[in-house]
C-alpha cells in the first residue's frame, strides 16, 4: 500500500488553511531569526529544537498581540455587554497550531520553517499540552472560548493557573502510575503575567456584628495574580482573553516572628498560601470535599468578581478612574422581588450550567468547613436560604417535605450546603447540556425547582469547535469537504448538510475512504512506535477514549472483546472482520475500580495480542496518557466510536461529536447527545442498542439481578468465568475478584442488562464493515448531520437565550489596517 502524503506536502495543496497567510514568508523568517537570537543565551550558540519551537511560537504570538490590543480597545469603545465564563477547568491542549489555523498563517509558517531547514510538525511536538482539565467539562470550556471569539462576543474565560495540570499517566506492568504534569517547566510563551491587576482574597477569620452592619475580621489574605492568554477567533481578527489566577502570599510578615528568629519559617510558610493554585484535582464526575478544593473555588470566584467589578466601573479603555458607580446597571453590562437589590443584581447577572446528574458528583459542602473557611459567607447563605424557604412556604403552604427537599442546607447527620440548589436560586437561567439531560434535570434532580420556576430551565446541547476538531486535526477530510461544498462550513458547520446530496457520489465515497485510510496508516505508525504491536491498517479501528468510570462502561467493551476472542478461537477458519480495539483514558488516582478496569484491559491485551491463533484479526491496545494531543491523532483514524454509557448517566458527551464529524460511525446507547446525533444523521446510520432511560427506571423499580443474565447467557458466563478464574491473570488468579464481585452483586450501571443487545449490535457493525461502500455512505450521512454539534451553535444559543447578546460575524480591522 502506498505511503500517505506527509502533512507537510498536504499543506501545500490545501486551500482551507489559508494559502498566502498574514505576512510573506521572508518577513516570517526574519522575525523567527530575531526571536531565535534573543532566545539563545550568550554562552550557548547551539540552538536546540525547543529553542526553535519558542522562536516560532513567539513569531506567531507577535501576530496575536496587535489584534489582542485592538480587540480590547474595540470593546472599550463600543462598551458591549460582557460575558464571563467561570470554570475550574480549561483543557486547552496545545496552542501553536490552533493559533496558526485561526490567523491563516499555517502555510506561510510551514514554508518559512521549511526554507530554514526545519520541520514544523517536529516543532509543534515540542509544545506541552496545557492540561488544566479532567475531561469533557474542561475541554468544553476550551471549545467555548474558541467559539465566543469566533462569534465576536466580548467574552472572558476565568479560571486557575494550576502549576500542575492533569497527571501524566504511565502504564507500568499493566497498572496506571501517575506522574506530576510539570507543564510550565520550560516556560509558557502564550501567557502574560499582569501583576498590576493582582487582587486580595480573604479566608478564615470571624464576623463581628455591629449596629451599622457586619464586619469580617482577622482574615488571612492570599493574593490572586492574573496570567492572560490570548484566544483568537477564526480569521476575524478578534482576540479575547483567558485570565487564569495564580496564588501568591502577601509580603507582610508578622514582625513578632522576626523577634524570635522566625523569619525563615515565615518565608517558608508562604508556600501554604500558594498551594491554592498548585494542582488540579484529578476527579471527573466526583465531588471531593477537601478544604483545599473549597479554597480553590472561592479563590477563583472572589478574584474574578473583583476584576469584573473593576472593569465595570472603569468602562473606558485604559482608565484607572471610577467611571460607573450605579450597580443596578450591572446585569445590562454583564450577564446577568422580595430580595434586596444586591440579590436581585446577582440573580439577573448569573446563569448556571449543570454538567452531571450523578449524585456523587454534586457538591454538598459541610457547614463546619464553610464556618471555618468563610464564616461571613455562611451567614449570608443562611439568610438567602431563609428568604428562599419563605417563598417556598408561601407558594406551597403546609408542604413541609417540599421545604426539606428544597432547602439549600441539608439537615440530618452533618449539615451540608447543597451547592446546586444555591446555584439555581442565585441564577436567572439553569441549563443542562443535551436535551435528554435537561429533561432529566426537570423531571428528577431539580423537579421541585422546575415546578416553582419553570421559566429558568433551558437546554443548551454541547458542541465542539470545528477549527481544532476538523480543520486542524484532519486537514485531509477538511479539504475533501471544501472541494465539494466550499469553505464556509468552517464557521457555519450547518453547511455540512449540503453533503447529503453527494451521498451516492462515487468520487466522494472514494475520497472519504481514502482520507480515512491515510489517517489510519499514520496512526498505525504512531501505535507501532509506542506499543511495539504490529497493527493491521485494514482492520476496523474500534476506539473508546474517555475518563475511566463505571458509568461509561469500559467493562461492557471488555466483555465484547473477550466474547469476540472466544468466537475466533472456537472457529479459527471463519472469515472474521478484523478489529483493532483501542481503549484509553485516565482513572482518578483514588478510584480503585477504575484502576482495576485499566488493569483488566491491559491483561486482556496481553492474552489476545500474543495468541497466534487470533493473529492480526484482533488486537487490543490501551492508549496510554490520553489527552487532547493524542485525541487529535486518534479521532481522525477511528472507524467505530464507542459511546456506551447506561442510558441516563452521560450528561452529553463531546467525544461522540468529534468522532462523528471525523467520519467514524457510532455504536451507542440512547444517552446524552447520542440521542440528538441519531436524530440529525438518521438513526439507521448509527448502531443504537440497549435500554432507554425508561427501561432503566423500570429496572430500578423491579430490581436488577445480574446473576439472572449470567446464568441465562452462555457467552457472558464464559467471559465472566475467564475473568474470575485467572485466564487473563494466570499468575494472580484472583486479581480481578473485586471487578467480578462488583459486576455480579452491586453494579449500579447494569452492564449485563445491555450485554446481549450490545453483542448483537457489534455483529451488525462487523457485517457492514465488510461492505466498504455502504459503510462510507453511512459515514457521509454522519458528517452531513454533524453541523448541529458545532460549539458555535451552542454559544449562539447561550448568547441569545441566556446572556442577552447578539453574535456577530463582523471582522474587525487587523492592526496594520486603518481603523
Amino acid at each position: 500500500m502506498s505511503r500517505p502524503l506527509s502533512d507537510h506536502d498536504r499543506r501545500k495543496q490545501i486551500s482551507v488553511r489559508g494559502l498566502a497567510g498574514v505576512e510573506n514568508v521572508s518577513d516570517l523568517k526574519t522575525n523567527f531569526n530575531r526571536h531565535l537570537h534573543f532566545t539563545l543565551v550568550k554562552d550557548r550558540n547551539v540552538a536546540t529544537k525547543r529553542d526553535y519551537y519558542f522562536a516560532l511560537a513567539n513569531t506567531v504570538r507577535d501576530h496575536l498581540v496587535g489584534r489582542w490590543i485592538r480587540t480590547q480597545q474595540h470593546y472599550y469603545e463600543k462598551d458591549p455587554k460582557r460575558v464571563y465564563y467561570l470554570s475550574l477547568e480549561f483543557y486547552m491542549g496545545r496552542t501553536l497550531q490552533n493559533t496558526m489555523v485561526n490567523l491563516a498563517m499555517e502555510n506561510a509558517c510551514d514554508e518559512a520553517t521549511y526554507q530554514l531547514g526545519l520541520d514544523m510538525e517536529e516543532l509543534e511536538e515540542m509544545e506541552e499540552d496545557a492540561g488544566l482539565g479532567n475531561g469533557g467539562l474542561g475541554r468544553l470550556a476550551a471549545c467555548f472560548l474558541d467559539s465566543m471569539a469566533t462569534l465576536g462576543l466580548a467574552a472572558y474565560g476565568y479560571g486557575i493557573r494550576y502549576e500542575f495540570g492533569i497527571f501524566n499517566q504511565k502504564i507500568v506492568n499493566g497498572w496506571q502510575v501517575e506522574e506530576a504534569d510539570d507543564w510550565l517547566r520550560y516556560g509558557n510563551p502564550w501567557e502574560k503575567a499582569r501583576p498590576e491587576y493582582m487582587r486580595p482574597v480573604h479566608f478564615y477569620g470571624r464576623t463581628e456584628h455591629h449596629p451599622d452592619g457586619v464586619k469580617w475580621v482577622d482574615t488571612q489574605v492570599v493574593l490572586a495574580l492574573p496570567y492572560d492568554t490570548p484566544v483568537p477567533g477564526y480569521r476575524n481578527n478578534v482576540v479575547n482573553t483567558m485570565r487564569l489566577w495564580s496564588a501568591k502570599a502577601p509580603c507582610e510578615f508578622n514582625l513578632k516572628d522576626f523577634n524570635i528568629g522566625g523569619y525563615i519559617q515565615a518565608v517558608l510558610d508562604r508556600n501554604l498560601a500558594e498551594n491554592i493554585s498548585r494542582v488540579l484535582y484529578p476527579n471527573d464526575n466526583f465531588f471531593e470535599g477537601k478544604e483545599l478544593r473549597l479554597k480553590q473555588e472561592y479563590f477563583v470566584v472572589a478574584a474574578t468578581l473583583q476584576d469584573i467589578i473593576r472593569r465595570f466601573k472603569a468602562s473606558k479603555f485604559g482608565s484607572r478612574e471610577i467611571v460607573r458607580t450605579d450597580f443596578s446597571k450591572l446585569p445590562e453590562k454583564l450577564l446577568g422581588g422580595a430580595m434586596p437589590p444586591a440579590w436581585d443584581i446577582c440573580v439577573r447577572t448569573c446563569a448556571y450550567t449543570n454538567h452531571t446528574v450523578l449524585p456523587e458528583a454534586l457538591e454538598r459542602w459541610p457547614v463546619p468547613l464553610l464556618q471555618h473557611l468563610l464564616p461571613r459567607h455562611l451567614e449570608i447563605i443562611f439568610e438567602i436560604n431563609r428568604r428562599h424557604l419563605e417563598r417556598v412556604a408561601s407558594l406551597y403552604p403546609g408542604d413541609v417535605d417540599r421545604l426539606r427537599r428544597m432547602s439549600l442546607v441539608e439537615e440530618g447527620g452533618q449539615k451540608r450546603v447543597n451547592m446546586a440548589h444555591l446555584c439555581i436560586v442565585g441564577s436567572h437561567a439553569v441549563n443542562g447540556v443535551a436535551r435528554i439531560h435537561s429533561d432529566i434535570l426537570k423531571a428528577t434532580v431539580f423537579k421541585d425547582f422546575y415546578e416553582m420556576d419553570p421559566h429558568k430551565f433551558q437546554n443548551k446541547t454541547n458542541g465542539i469547535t470545528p477549527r481544532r476538531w476538523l480543520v486542524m486535526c484532519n486537514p485531509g477530510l477538511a479539504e475533501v469537504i471544501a472541494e465539494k461544498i466550499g469553505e464556509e462550513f468552517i464557521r457555519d458547520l450547518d453547511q455540512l448538510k449540503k453533503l447529503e446530496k453527494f451521498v451516492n457520489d462515487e468520487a466522494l465515497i472514494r475520497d472519504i475512504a481514502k482520507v480515512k485510510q491515510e489517517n489510519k496508516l499514520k496512526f498505525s505508525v504512531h501505535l507501532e512506535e509506542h506499543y511495539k504491536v504490529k497493527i493491521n491498517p485494514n482492520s476496523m479501528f474500534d476506539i473508546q477514549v474517555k475518563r475511566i468510570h463505571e458509568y461509561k462502561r469500559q467493562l461492557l467493551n471488555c466483555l465484547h472483546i473477550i466474547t469476540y476472542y472466544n468466537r475466533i478461537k472456537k472457529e479459527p477458519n471463519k472469515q472474521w472482520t478484523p478489529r483493532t480495539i483501542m481503549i484509553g483514558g485516565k482513572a482518578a488516582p483514588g478510584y480503585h475500580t477504575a484502576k482495576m478496569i485499566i488493569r483488566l484491559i491491559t491483561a486482556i491485551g496481553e492474552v489476545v495480542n500474543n495468541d497466534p491463533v487470533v493473529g492480526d484479526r484482533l488486537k487490543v491496545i490501551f492508549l496510554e496518557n490520553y489527552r487532547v494531543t493524542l485525541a487529535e491523532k486518534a479521532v481522525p483514524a477511528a472507524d467505530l466510536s464507542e459511546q456506551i454509557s447506561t442510558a441516563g448517566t452521560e450528561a452529553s458527551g463531546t467525544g461522540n461529536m468529534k468522532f462523528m464529524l471525523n467520519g467514524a460511525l457510532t455504536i451507542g446507547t440512547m444517552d446524552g447527545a447520542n440521542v440528538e446525533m441519531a436524530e440529525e444523521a438518521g438513526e439507521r446510520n448509527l448502531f443504537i442498542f440497549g435500554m432507554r432511560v425508561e427501561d432503566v427506571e423500570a429496572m430500578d423499580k423491579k430490581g436488577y439481578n445480574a446473576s439472572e443474565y449470567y446464568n441465562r447467557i452462555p457467552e457472558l458466563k464464559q467471559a465472566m468465568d475467564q475473568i474470575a478464574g485467572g485466564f487473563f491473570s494466570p499468575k494472580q488468579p484472583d486479581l480481578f475478584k473485586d471487578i467480578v464481585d462488583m459486576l455480579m452483586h452491586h453494579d449500579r450501571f447494569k452492564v449485563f442488562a445491555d450485554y446481549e443487545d450490545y453483542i448483537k449490535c457489534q455483529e451488525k457493525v462487523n457485517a457492514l464493515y465488510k461492505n466498504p461502500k455502504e459503510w462510507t455512505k453511512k459515514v457521509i450521512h454522519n458528517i452531513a448531520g454533524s453541523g448541529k454539534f458545532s460549539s458555535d451553535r451552542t454559544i449562539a444559543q447561550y448568547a441569545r437565550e441566556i446572556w442577552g447578546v447578539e453574535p456577530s460575524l463582523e471582522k474587525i480591522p487587523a492592526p496594520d489596517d486603518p481603523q
Side-chain angles (χ1 to χ4, degrees):
M1 183 172 284
S2 64
R3 301 301 290 167
L5 272 177
S6 76
D7 272 18
H8 181 276
D9 294 331
R10 178 176 279 123
R11 282 192 188 99
K12 298 277 176 267
Q13 63 187 42
I14 281 184
S15 60
V16 295
R17 301 169 80 153
L19 275 173
V22 175
E23 214 179 15
N24 69 35
V25 171
S26 68
D27 282 357
L28 282 172
K29 280 158 65 182
T30 305
N31 286 342
F32 179 91
N33 283 322
R34 182 171 55 87
H35 280 296
L36 187 62
H37 175 73
F38 289 120
T39 301
L40 295 176
V41 287
K42 290 191 187 82
D43 62 347
R44 185 163 62 85
N45 294 322
V46 183
T48 64
K49 201 181 286 181
R50 181 162 281 106
D51 293 324
Y52 292 132
Y53 158 69
F54 273 99
L56 179 58
N58 285 314
T59 304
V60 171
R61 188 173 178 266
D62 289 345
H63 288 269
L64 273 173
V65 171
R67 288 168 173 75
W68 200 7
I69 292 167
R70 184 165 271 199
T71 302
Q72 302 312 309
Q73 285 172 335
H74 177 77
Y75 292 157
Y76 277 95
E77 283 156 13
K78 292 250 179 8
D79 195 23
K81 183 186 273 199
R82 294 167 198 253
V83 175
Y84 295 105
Y85 192 89
L86 276 76
S87 175
L88 278 162
E89 301 184 16
F90 286 93
Y91 204 170
M92 304 299 285
R94 290 175 179 162
T95 293
L96 174 60
Q97 194 187 356
N98 186 70
T99 303
M100 293 189 295
V101 165
N102 279 11
L103 296 189
M105 290 180 70
E106 205 180 9
N107 273 26
C109 287
D110 193 49
E111 185 57 39
T113 49
Y114 180 66
Q115 290 181 18
L116 290 163
L118 298 166
D119 180 326
M120 193 162 82
E121 258 189 83
E122 278 185 19
L123 301 189
E124 288 166 354
E125 288 293 322
M126 297 306 296
E127 183 174 358
E128 300 278 341
D129 273 44
L132 308 186
N134 277 287
L137 175 144
R139 184 53 231 170
L140 183 76
C143 285
F144 279 2
L145 291 183
D146 180 275
S147 287
M148 289 189 284
T150 296
L151 294 175
L153 300 178
Y156 303 74
Y158 274 99
I160 294 178
R161 180 182 178 266
Y162 299 105
E163 199 178 314
F164 297 92
I166 186 68
F167 60 88
N168 285 316
Q169 178 194 57
K170 293 268 186 283
I171 300 298
V172 180
N173 299 324
W175 296 94
Q176 169 176 299
V177 176
E178 299 88 26
E179 274 182 8
D181 165 41
D182 193 3
W183 71 290
L184 292 168
R185 66 182 168 274
Y186 300 110
N188 173 7
W190 305 107
E191 68 181 9
K192 171 91 177 76
R194 303 301 300 272
E196 65 273 30
Y197 294 121
M198 198 134 66
R199 291 284 167 259
V201 177
H202 296 256
F203 295 102
Y204 305 111
R206 58 193 174 80
T207 56
E208 288 180 350
H209 291 252
H210 302 281
D212 58 340
V214 186
K215 286 197 171 67
W216 182 20
V217 297
D218 297 339
T219 57
Q220 287 181 21
V221 175
V222 177
L223 299 176
L225 169 65
Y227 284 80
D228 287 357
T229 300
V231 179
Y234 182 71
R235 300 188 186 178
N236 61 355
N237 296 321
V238 170
V239 179
N240 284 343
T241 302
M242 174 175 69
R243 177 162 284 184
L244 302 181
W245 300 101
S246 182
K248 298 291 286 179
C251 283
E252 314 84 60
F253 294 113
N254 198 333
L255 276 181
K256 74 173 176 16
D257 286 346
F258 288 143
N259 303 336
I260 53 167
Y263 162 72
I264 295 290
Q265 195 54 47
V267 176
L268 296 181
D269 285 349
R270 293 169 61 90
N271 267 345
L272 299 174
E274 294 175 1
N275 277 341
I276 291 175
S277 57
R278 196 79 69 205
V279 62
L280 169 77
Y281 272 88
N283 303 315
D284 196 61
N285 276 303
F286 181 80
F287 167 53
E288 177 137 32
K290 296 279 197 301
E291 182 175 340
L292 179 60
R293 174 68 170 185
L294 182 56
K295 269 189 173 170
Q296 288 182 338
E297 295 184 0
Y298 180 67
F299 175 74
V300 69
V301 169
T304 300
L305 276 176
Q306 291 179 71
D307 208 38
I308 288 172
I309 288 166
R310 172 195 60 75
R311 195 177 287 115
F312 171 77
K313 281 155 72 166
S315 60
K316 290 193 168 60
F317 187 64
S319 166
R320 295 293 176 107
E321 306 149 34
I322 290 179
V323 180
R324 280 203 192 97
T325 52
D326 178 4
F327 284 95
S328 66
K329 297 283 189 293
L330 192 72
E332 294 164 28
K333 287 297 172 188
L334 313 179
L335 300 180
M339 290 300 255
W343 182 246
D344 181 55
I345 290 168
C346 170
V347 172
R348 289 195 296 135
T349 303
C350 295
Y352 162 53
T353 297
N354 170 280
H355 287 268
T356 182
V357 294
L358 297 180
E360 66 268 33
L362 294 172
E363 295 201 347
R364 297 176 165 88
W365 287 105
V367 164
L369 178 56
L370 280 164
Q371 173 69 52
H372 174 57
L373 193 70
L374 300 167
R376 178 61 189 140
H377 297 72
L378 183 64
E379 292 176 356
I380 294 168
I381 290 168
F382 283 156
E383 176 59 16
I384 292 166
N385 193 39
R386 187 184 68 75
R387 295 177 190 227
H388 159 63
L389 291 180
E390 263 180 15
R391 180 172 173 239
V392 176
S394 70
L395 289 169
Y396 303 97
D399 193 341
V400 181
D401 199 48
R402 184 181 293 259
L403 281 176
R404 180 191 55 74
R405 292 195 309 266
M406 293 184 75
S407 176
L408 311 184
V409 182
E410 297 176 351
E411 307 285 346
Q414 190 181 38
K415 278 191 179 184
R416 292 174 174 269
V417 175
N418 184 314
M419 299 304 276
H421 290 183
L422 182 57
C423 288
I424 295 170
V425 171
S427 301
H428 68 279
V430 177
N431 71 279
V433 290
R435 193 178 62 226
I436 187 175
H437 171 233
S438 297
D439 289 345
I440 289 168
L441 292 181
K442 294 191 289 195
T444 60
V445 198
F446 302 143
K447 180 173 189 280
D448 295 320
F449 291 90
Y450 173 63
E451 284 173 2
M452 186 165 85
D453 290 310
H455 63 277
K456 277 192 183 184
F457 286 77
Q458 305 191 14
N459 172 243
K460 298 288 168 275
T461 298
N462 283 165
I464 56 171
T465 168
R467 272 72 63 183
R468 185 176 292 259
W469 295 111
L470 179 57
V471 178
M472 185 181 128
C473 73
N474 201 344
L477 181 58
E479 175 60 7
V480 166
I481 295 169
E483 280 172 0
K484 273 289 180 229
I485 65 169
E487 294 173 27
E488 278 304 297
F489 71 91
I490 299 170
R491 57 160 62 79
D492 176 13
L493 206 60
D494 277 331
Q495 304 256 343
L496 292 177
K497 286 195 178 82
K498 293 178 180 172
L499 290 172
E500 275 292 345
K501 62 174 178 288
F502 298 108
V503 86
N504 296 309
D505 180 316
E506 296 289 342
L508 182 65
I509 292 170
R510 188 186 61 241
D511 288 346
I512 283 191
K514 181 166 175 270
V515 165
K516 179 62 73 181
Q517 199 52 35
E518 286 178 355
N519 290 337
K520 288 172 71 174
L521 277 169
K522 194 174 173 193
F523 196 46
S524 297
V525 171
H526 172 84
L527 293 172
E528 286 174 20
E529 263 171 38
H530 285 78
Y531 299 98
K532 311 295 177 243
V533 175
K534 187 85 186 93
I535 304 291
N536 172 2
N538 297 314
S539 64
M540 183 199 307
F541 281 18
D542 167 351
I543 306 188
Q544 185 180 23
V545 281
K546 47 186 81 258
R547 285 301 289 258
I548 309 292
H549 201 299
E550 287 162 84
Y551 88 85
K552 293 178 186 283
R553 296 203 296 193
Q554 285 90 356
L555 287 171
L556 185 57
N557 195 343
C558 287
L559 289 173
H560 169 249
I561 297 171
I562 296 170
T563 303
Y564 199 48
Y565 170 77
N566 289 335
R567 287 180 178 184
I568 296 171
K569 291 283 281 183
K570 194 173 167 191
E571 297 182 80
N573 299 321
K574 208 172 144 185
Q575 285 302 109
W576 298 101
T577 303
R579 285 199 192 214
T580 301
I581 300 177
M582 299 169 235
I583 304 177
K586 293 176 181 176
Y591 188 174
H592 170 72
T593 306
K595 290 185 131 175
M596 288 310 302
I597 291 169
I598 291 176
R599 185 63 192 98
L600 178 62
I601 297 163
T602 58
I604 294 169
E606 283 157 27
V607 170
V608 170
N609 299 345
N610 295 303
D611 191 321
V613 174
V614 172
D616 67 356
R617 293 178 290 187
L618 182 60
K619 292 287 183 214
V620 178
I621 294 179
F622 185 84
L623 295 173
E624 185 178 76
N625 202 30
Y626 181 65
R627 59 202 186 284
V628 175
T629 299
L630 184 52
E632 289 163 5
K633 295 178 171 73
V635 167
D639 292 305
L640 187 69
S641 156
E642 301 263 355
Q643 308 296 334
I644 57 179
S645 51
T646 314
T649 61
E650 186 72 88
S652 164
T654 45
N656 47 2
M657 302 168 185
K658 290 162 198 167
F659 284 109
M660 180 189 196
L661 179 60
N662 282 276
L665 299 186
T666 301
I667 184 166
T669 51
M670 276 298 199
D671 197 24
N674 295 358
V675 177
E676 290 159 82
M677 284 163 50
E679 239 169 56
E680 296 295 308
E683 197 173 322
R684 68 194 177 286
N685 296 310
L686 282 78
F687 298 101
I688 299 291
F689 73 93
M691 298 181 286
R692 308 299 208 250
V693 168
E694 40 291 4
D695 303 321
V696 175
E697 284 169 358
M699 185 171 285
D700 281 331
K701 283 203 182 79
K702 109 173 183 319
Y704 164 65
N705 179 2
S707 21
E708 174 200 319
Y709 299 92
Y710 170 82
N711 292 320
R712 182 171 60 75
I713 307 166
E715 285 185 307
L716 173 60
K717 182 177 191 304
Q718 182 189 3
M720 286 304 296
D721 291 351
Q722 285 169 308
I723 296 170
F727 181 84
F728 297 105
S729 53
K731 290 181 182 156
Q732 282 176 273
D734 62 350
L735 181 59
F736 300 115
K737 68 173 189 319
D738 288 356
I739 283 186
V740 172
D741 181 54
M742 183 276 291
L743 285 172
M744 294 298 296
H745 305 296
H746 33 91
D747 174 12
R748 291 165 57 199
F749 302 105
K750 307 175 179 61
V751 169
F752 292 0
D754 277 342
Y755 168 84
E756 215 169 5
D757 203 20
Y758 179 55
I759 299 294
K760 284 202 182 87
C761 197
Q762 290 283 20
E763 290 166 7
K764 289 184 197 152
V765 175
N766 282 336
L768 187 68
Y769 192 74
K770 288 182 170 156
N771 186 339
K773 189 171 168 184
E774 290 307 310
W775 179 279
T776 307
K777 283 185 185 179
K778 283 195 192 294
V779 164
I780 295 169
H781 281 298
N782 272 272
I783 297 170
S786 57
K788 175 177 182 176
F789 305 107
S790 167
S791 49
D792 297 347
R793 186 268 316 149
T794 311
I795 288 299
Q797 289 183 335
Y798 273 100
R800 293 181 175 123
E801 296 163 26
I802 294 181
W803 304 335
V805 288
E806 188 55 34
S808 157
L809 292 176
E810 176 201 355
K811 197 170 173 176
I812 67 174
D816 37 5
D817 296 346
Q819 281 221 336

